[in-house]
Amino acid sequence: MSSSERRNGDKPPREPISITDKRRVDPETGRVRGHTPSEPVTPTPQREPDPTTPDAEMHPGDRTDRTAGEDPDRVTELTADLQRVQAEYTNYRRRIERDRHAAVEAATASVAAKFLGILDDLDRARGHGDLEKEPLRAIAAKLGAILSGLGVAAFGEEGERFDPTLHEAVQHAGSGGDPVVDRVLRRGYTFGDHKVLRTATVTVVEGVAPPGSVTGTAPAGDS
């Protein structure tokens, strides 16, 4: 178009306007543009770690492993910490096992001690010859077997060497230099590893102990 025509008032023709819809979701169908429902969506591949990537962009665990591998002192420190934790755990298990064993032993000893009065009654019955017939003989045998299985043993016999840790003397006689048990008024009992449940009540005579006479224990319930 010439300049004269424009000066006469005519307007130049307008170029057509093109509008591009860049929305990924079709507002009418609600579907994602660019593929059909039957087309599989290709997953985005994961990026392989770049050896040149700064430590700030690395995973914390990778950065720790890399630091530990590059620092021998750090490796030594972590190894020492691990060994210390293992030793503490081992000591903890031993302490728990020791405490558990002690608790079981104390509970068993407490129960066994409640039967000592019955054993005293059976000893008196034995002294009168009542255990030679049933049913006391069977009861004494069963109770003695049970307590023996729990580790309970009786001690206190005439002629034993006097031991103040095992015997409670209520009477002394004689003037010798070797005290021995003269009479047993009430037998004593030990439990487990020779722990004293109850001392024996005895009378003591001072004199020369018979050959081979030593303090000993017998299974619970035995005469």
Side-chain angles (χ1 to χ4, degrees), residues 151-207:
V152 178
F155 67 90
E157 300 293 340
E158 294 181 2
E160 288 182 353
R161 195 179 303 276
F162 176 74
D163 185 345
T165 63
L166 299 176
H167 305 111
E168 180 183 357
V170 296
Q171 180 180 345
H172 286 79
S175 58
D178 193 355
V180 295
V181 175
D182 183 29
R183 292 179 54 201
V184 179
L185 305 180
R186 189 182 67 176
R187 291 202 295 177
Y189 292 91
T190 59
F191 171 78
D193 191 18
H194 301 291
K195 296 179 180 178
V196 179
L197 278 179
R198 189 183 70 185
T199 58
T201 304
V202 300
T203 62
V204 178
V205 59
E206 298 283 349

Side-chain angles (χ1 to χ4, degrees), residues 50-72 74-75:
D50 188 355
T52 61
T53 303
D55 289 347
E57 300 179 3
M58 295 176 63
H59 190 275
D62 298 338
R63 185 164 59 253
T64 302
D65 296 341
R66 178 178 175 183
T67 303
E70 295 177 354
D71 188 355
R74 180 60 176 167
V75 174

Side-chain angles (χ1 to χ4, degrees), residues 76-148:
T76 303
E77 180 182 354
L78 293 176
T79 303
D81 291 342
L82 178 60
Q83 292 175 345
R84 182 173 61 256
V85 171
Q86 289 178 337
E88 292 176 352
Y89 178 68
T90 301
N91 293 334
Y92 169 77
R93 290 186 58 185
R94 291 175 179 173
R95 184 170 61 254
I96 292 299
E97 182 64 22
R98 183 174 62 251
D99 293 345
R100 186 191 67 82
H101 178 74
V104 171
E105 192 175 53
T108 305
S110 177
V111 173
K114 297 182 182 301
F115 287 89
L116 299 186
I118 300 176
L119 293 177
D120 293 339
D121 294 338
L122 293 176
D123 283 340
R124 285 189 287 269
R126 182 181 294 107
H128 290 86
D130 294 336
L131 293 188
E132 297 178 358
K133 51 187 177 181
E134 301 295 346
L136 285 182
R137 183 172 63 180
I139 294 175
K142 292 179 180 179
L143 181 59
I146 293 174
L147 294 178
S148 296

